[in-house]
Amino acid sequence: MTYNRRAFIKSIGFLYGSLLLMPSCTKNISDSSFDEQYNACLEALCNQIIPDDEYPGAVKTGTPGFIKKQLSLHLDYCKENYRNGLQALQTYCQNKFNRNFENLSSSQQINLMKQMEQNLLTGEEWNKLSSGSFFAMILKHTMMGFYGAPRHGGNKGYASYKMLRLDVPLVVGQNRY
């Protein structure tokens, strides 16, 4: 069997191209059990941290999607903390209010979040993760999603850039002030 130069280069090109695609095939971008069970709670938390006003808030700019995407890609070490924290919050709300967090009034959600921030929510549901560290993690990742570059999954339409009156970068890394 003889190869000519053109066929050899073509086969090498296909081999190299398929090798480039392999790493993206190994990452699981979504975890449906996390999405279905805790999506509404995560959205409610993000919505209270950065609510809508004259500009879109965290939910409308895709921040919960950013968090879920990052939990599957780069923040996989936080996934268990998210599950434990969201489960603890839902259990706490069920025990105290007979409703999930997302079904509470806005003022109840804010009061609970203030207590979480001060690490005042205690009980056996918070034995795997303290409420204060869970709140700090949610706050940090919500800010990352809202203020980060849209290419990472949040800040759709450069909403936070427009809110801060920053120039929308034409070329990533070339925004000069």
Side-chain angles (χ1 to χ4, degrees):
M1 177 196 277
T2 61
Y3 269 112
N4 64 21
R5 203 173 4 170
R6 193 168 285 152
F8 176 75
I9 291 172
K10 192 179 203 182
S11 64
I12 292 297
F14 284 127
L15 175 66
Y16 182 70
S18 63
L19 288 175
L20 288 176
L21 293 175
M22 282 180 65
S24 66
C25 295
T26 60
K27 293 274 186 179
N28 181 12
I29 299 244
S30 84
D31 184 351
S32 60
S33 64
F34 181 82
D35 293 349
E36 293 170 14
Q37 193 171 4
Y38 301 118
N39 192 42
C41 184
L42 181 62
E43 284 186 5
L45 285 163
C46 291
N47 191 48
Q48 288 299 345
I49 292 172
I50 305 176
D52 295 335
D53 51 17
E54 63 266 16
Y55 296 97
V59 174
K60 287 186 181 173
T61 58
T63 299
F66 162 84
I67 292 172
K68 290 183 284 188
K69 179 180 178 182
Q70 296 306 314
L71 285 175
S72 294
L73 296 174
H74 306 292
L75 299 173
D76 56 343
Y77 59 91
C78 294
K79 189 181 282 190
E80 198 60 34
N81 286 340
Y82 266 89
R83 279 200 177 103
N84 291 336
L86 291 168
Q87 182 180 25
L89 180 60
Q90 294 293 48
T91 303
Y92 184 87
C93 290
Q94 281 294 329
N95 291 341
K96 187 163 180 155
F97 303 106
N98 290 326
R99 290 189 296 206
N100 285 339
F101 179 80
E102 64 270 12
N103 297 326
L104 298 176
S105 70
S106 181
S107 62
Q108 288 174 317
Q109 289 178 351
I110 291 169
N111 286 333
L112 272 175
M113 290 173 71
K114 286 179 181 178
Q115 292 174 18
M116 282 174 37
E117 182 178 26
Q118 298 170 2
N119 203 26
L120 298 176
L121 295 185
T122 57
E124 58 185 71
E125 57 268 354
W126 292 103
N127 64 357
K128 293 181 182 176
L129 178 70
S130 72
S131 62
S133 60
F134 175 65
F135 180 80
M137 182 177 63
I138 289 277
L139 178 66
K140 176 183 172 183
H141 293 154
T142 301
M143 295 296 180
M144 286 169 62
F146 185 74
Y147 292 108
R151 65 188 166 115
H152 300 295
N155 194 10
K156 288 182 183 166
Y158 294 95
S160 67
Y161 289 22
K162 292 174 184 174
M163 178 187 73
L164 295 170
R165 291 179 174 73
L166 295 175
D167 295 335
V168 174
L170 299 175
V171 177
V172 175
Q174 294 296 315
N175 194 1
R176 297 189 177 111
Y177 300 101

